[in-house]
């Protein structure tokens, strides 16, 4: 039987990386969990998280379309507890030049990162607003500040999420619902493997610890901060991006994300 005294956190993209670390932090902070990912590894993640003392329900579901989001929201509602925090972390990346990408894969990045994310936030956010309380975390990226040559679709989706989070945060001011957007840089997860970017300079570079990234984001959410860029290198990169011409940024990004750039 679930412990109804514990608040509930919903974490998407929680099978590994930043999402799994966010889920671990939530357990440590006294939350029960509902977690989701589009791969069976989510069940193994749930087993590990249960050992840390939480009630954890997991669902393998593709949240890139309305049908998946509706099915997941029904799964959440069936547990009979309100969502106290939503950690909207599900996301995909894709490398190579846009015209060389499979269009179906490219559109799946858009649908996962944007369509599914805002559909889930719309559903859960309305329930939070009705109750007058709740916290939403949307995983953005410093990639959203930079034209992503050889990652054009991915960076574009993160630019959307960065912008969307601040707009939604303003709309929900004084409702009791907060919105925060951590904006990590390159992080040591399976992202670059899944995006077919292991042969790139950025794919081979030293990356941030996902546990540190998750902690910075979670603390920002609990402190009602609008955004957080963790790590001094990422802070410097985002600051420079704000004053550098877009064409120059696109050229710089090409050097790190071009296929085969790790060998140059």
């Amino acid at each position: 039987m679930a412990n109804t005294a514990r608040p509930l956190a919903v974490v998407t993209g929680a099978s590994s990386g930043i999402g799994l670390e966010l889920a671990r932090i939530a357990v440590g902070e006294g939350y029960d969990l509902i977690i989701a990912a589009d791969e069976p590894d989510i069940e193994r993640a749930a087993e590990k998280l249960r050992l840390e003392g939480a009630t954890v329900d997991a669902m393998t579901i593709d949240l890139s379309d309305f049908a998946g989001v509706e099915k997941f929201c029904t799964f959440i509602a069936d547990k009979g507890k309100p969502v106290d925090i939503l950690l909207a972390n599900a996301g995909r990346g894709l490398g190579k030049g846009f015209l060389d990408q499979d269009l179906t894969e490219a559109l799946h990045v858009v649908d996962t990162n944007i369509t599914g994310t805002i559909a889930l936030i719309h559903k859960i956010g309305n329930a939070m607003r009705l109750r007058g309380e709740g916290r939403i975390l949307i995983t953005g990226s410093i990639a959203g500040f930079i034209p992503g040559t050889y990652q054009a679709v991915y960076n574009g989706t993160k630019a959307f999420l960065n912008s969307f989070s601040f707009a939604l945060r303003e709309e929900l001011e004084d409702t009791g619902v907060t919105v925060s957007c951590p904006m990590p840089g390159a992080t040591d997860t399976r992202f670059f493997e899944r995006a077919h970017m292991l042969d790139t300079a950025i794919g081979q570079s030293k990356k941030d610890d996902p546990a540190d990234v998750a902690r910075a984001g979670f603390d920002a959410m609990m402190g009602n901060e609008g955004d957080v860029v963790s790590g001094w290198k990422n802070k410097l990169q985002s600051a420079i991006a704000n004053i550098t011409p877009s064409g120059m940024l696109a050229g710089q990004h090409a050097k790190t994300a071009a296929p085969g750039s790790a060998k140059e």
Side-chain angles (χ1 to χ4, degrees), residues 207-258:
K207 301 174 183 64
D208 295 330
D209 185 333
D212 294 338
V213 170
R215 173 49 74 181
F218 194 94
D219 288 349
M221 175 188 67
M222 298 306 291
N224 192 18
E225 297 178 41
D227 67 314
V228 60
V229 177
S230 58
W232 69 267
K233 289 184 179 179
N234 295 328
K235 292 180 188 293
L236 179 62
Q237 185 176 359
S238 61
I240 292 174
N242 285 327
I243 59 173
T244 303
S246 295
M248 185 177 295
L249 289 172
Q252 292 171 348
H253 197 280
K255 296 176 182 178
T256 63

Side-chain angles (χ1 to χ4, degrees), residues 7-217:
L8 178 64
V10 171
V11 190
T12 63
S15 58
S16 63
I18 296 171
L20 178 56
E21 296 300 334
L22 285 168
R24 283 178 173 148
I25 293 169
V27 170
E29 296 289 334
Y31 290 83
D32 283 334
L33 295 175
I34 296 176
I35 58 175
D38 61 358
E39 56 185 5
D41 285 352
I42 194 66
E43 298 295 341
R44 285 192 286 274
E47 291 174 6
K48 294 178 181 178
L49 291 164
R50 290 183 189 113
L51 295 176
E52 299 179 26
T55 297
V56 182
D57 292 292
M59 188 177 199
T60 304
I61 186 76
D62 183 352
L63 295 174
S64 65
D65 59 24
F66 295 120
V69 170
E70 285 295 322
K71 188 174 180 180
F72 183 50
C73 287
T74 298
F75 181 78
I76 295 170
D78 287 346
K79 305 307 172 185
K81 294 178 65 173
V83 178
D84 294 279
I85 58 174
L86 169 61
L87 306 166
N89 175 76
R92 283 190 169 273
L94 190 62
K96 300 183 179 179
F98 172 66
L99 295 183
D100 297 319
Q101 292 172 347
D102 178 88
L103 182 57
T104 300
E105 286 190 66
L107 291 175
H108 191 55
V109 171
V110 175
D111 289 338
T112 301
N113 297 4
I114 297 179
T115 305
T117 297
I118 64 174
L120 183 63
I121 291 170
H122 192 270
K123 187 84 171 182
I124 294 179
N126 266 295
M128 287 179 171
R129 184 174 63 173
L130 188 62
R131 295 198 322 272
E133 60 180 354
R135 299 179 188 274
I136 299 171
L137 177 149
I138 304 169
T139 301
S141 175
I142 63 170
F145 301 131
I146 304 167
T149 312
Y150 300 110
Q151 276 185 289
V153 172
Y154 172 76
N155 284 37
T157 64
K158 289 301 182 177
F160 175 93
L161 290 178
N162 292 353
S163 174
F164 172 79
S165 70
F166 276 103
L168 182 61
R169 177 181 173 84
E170 183 67 21
E171 290 175 4
L172 293 177
E173 188 178 14
D174 300 326
T175 67
V177 182
T178 67
V179 179
S180 300
C181 183
M183 300 176 183
T187 306
D188 190 12
T189 68
R190 294 175 58 198
F191 173 88
F192 294 97
E193 173 191 348
R194 292 169 174 165
H196 314 300
M197 294 182 67
L198 291 179
D199 66 337
T200 66
I202 193 170
Q204 294 293 319
S205 67
K206 184 178 180 180
K207 301 174 183 64
D208 295 330
D209 185 333
D212 294 338
V213 170
R215 173 49 74 181

